[in-house]
Amino acid sequence: MMKKKSPSPQRLLPLAKRCIVILLDGLGDRAYAELGDRTPLQAAVTPTLDRFAALGVNGLFHAGRLGQALPSENAHFAMFGYAPEEFPGRGLLEAMGAGHAIAEDEIALLAHFVNIEERDGLLVLTEDRPLATAPELAELGASIAGRDCDGIVCRYLPTRGPDGIVTLRGPVSPCITDSDPITEGEPLLAVLPWREAGDDHAARHTARALTAYLSWCHRTLAAQPVNVARRGQGLVALNGLVTQRPGRWLAVERFGERWGLRGLSIASGLVYWGLAEFLGLAVRKVKDSGEPGRDLAERLRHALATTDHDFIHVHTKAPDAAAHTKEPAAKVAAIEALDRGLAAVADELLGAPETLLVITADHSTPSSGPQVHSGEPVPFTMVGPGQRCDLVRGFDEVRCAAGALGVVRGGDFMYLVLNGLDRAKLHGLRDAPEDRPYWPARRTPFRLSP
């Protein structure tokens, strides 16, 4: 009699227990004739990014709606699983990133120095962020440090270089328009209440107070000895302050509560530090050295070495910064530098046990034309235990479009992460009073009744 064969043991795949997100800020772009009708990413030589794409599952990503031009803070906010109505405003995030405490009855606005000229009764932006020394900026900032405007206390807080934060405290509202026209040669914009604010007295009062403060800043700055000396040397004066993107403190659920993961952000910008603090991720503040590839490799090595976090956001601003020079070749060079940095740690990343890798960007940044950011989707790759491997063999905006993931949206991002970590709860189960998308939740053990 033939013996029955014992069933072969099931081959168990290792489970991913942590996710490292490699976020290449502003990576997506448009096609340019000087690059052979290719995007900078298509034109760049990127064997390491291509290697990752060939080992994983691919698609395109947009944090909002296709065609919508998102800033980094809004795109990141959506990626981290938060709704637009929960967003506090960039002014608040940068203030937090710079270490400035913002009270609940304050709003914070981005602000920076400009040169303006009076023409036909209008203030025209003639030079954005003129170059100035640190002592000059400190003296000018001190001259406009504070003023009471109709019961609203206005303060200027420096952050970095010619940039700072304006805070307004009192009966204030963030529902006001920007004064910054962004484009040189355009007049400064009137500060007005949002139409959505209706007949909100606080919004109207805030708009009047900020208008009075910015007008006072212009007159005060123009008379400062620093600017008198600059004009005598043939330099433009830093005689104006412009504002944009007001923010106010909101109470939102912490990242760990919402997603059941211990988050860490490794980044170099104020807004990313502030965003992480606002959402409850730990922050590792790093600086850019001028060698983006080396910076990225160092940040990834730190991510690999950490044992205290299972969601690690590793950020580089290099592609976005290069695109803002409006030189497509500069962006190609930045991308190739990052690829070399990835090559230095690629084997460590791929050999890291129980690690899910996500490689993507937050938005597209055009390397030509007037737009700051644009609305095209960006490539998206996931590599790790159990991830499908599709037929994509290169990492760019066109080849990744053929991947098995299709188009991923902002609200999908954290669900894909939970799924890749085997933490996605079966929809409909209710293992705790608060319904969470992850398992296990904070469960209460059953006890026999007496």
Side-chain angles (χ1 to χ4, degrees), residues 24-35:
L24 310 176
D25 197 303
L27 182 69
D29 210 317
R30 296 171 170 175
Y32 302 104
E34 60 263 49
L35 300 180

Side-chain angles (χ1 to χ4, degrees), residues 100-146:
H100 296 303
I102 304 299
E104 291 187 9
D105 63 345
E106 280 185 305
I107 63 172
L109 304 93
L110 300 185
H112 64 268
F113 288 112
V114 295
N115 176 257
I116 52 181
E117 292 181 3
E118 296 187 40
R119 299 177 187 172
D120 300 323
L122 300 176
L123 295 177
V124 177
L125 175 62
T126 51
E127 188 169 334
D128 201 41
R129 293 181 173 87
L131 293 176
T133 66
E136 287 176 324
L137 292 170
E139 186 173 334
L140 292 172
S143 73
I144 56 169

Side-chain angles (χ1 to χ4, degrees), residues 333-358:
I335 293 169
E336 291 182 343
L338 291 176
D339 193 80
R340 292 191 294 271
L342 275 173
V345 292
D347 290 340
E348 296 172 63
L349 289 167
L350 293 170
E354 304 171 332
T355 298
L356 171 69
L357 299 174
V358 179

Side-chain angles (χ1 to χ4, degrees), residues 12-34:
L12 297 178
L13 291 172
L15 302 179
K17 293 185 178 179
R18 67 172 175 179
C19 175
I20 297 177
V21 179
I22 303 174
L23 202 292
L24 310 176
D25 197 303
L27 182 69
D29 210 317
R30 296 171 170 175
Y32 302 104
E34 60 263 49

Side-chain angles (χ1 to χ4, degrees), residues 407-430:
V407 178
V408 177
R409 299 300 176 89
D412 303 330
F413 187 89
M414 289 305 303
Y415 284 93
L416 283 173
V417 169
L418 288 179
N419 188 61
L421 296 176
D422 281 304
R423 295 287 308 278
K425 187 180 74 175
L426 184 66
H427 186 72
L429 295 181
R430 196 66 181 258

Side-chain angles (χ1 to χ4, degrees), residues 167 191 320:
T167 66
V191 180
D320 184 74

Side-chain angles (χ1 to χ4, degrees), residues 78-93:
M79 293 172 76
F80 290 165
Y82 289 82
E85 58 269 21
E86 297 177 287
F87 185 68
R90 178 155 179 165
L92 176 83
L93 298 179

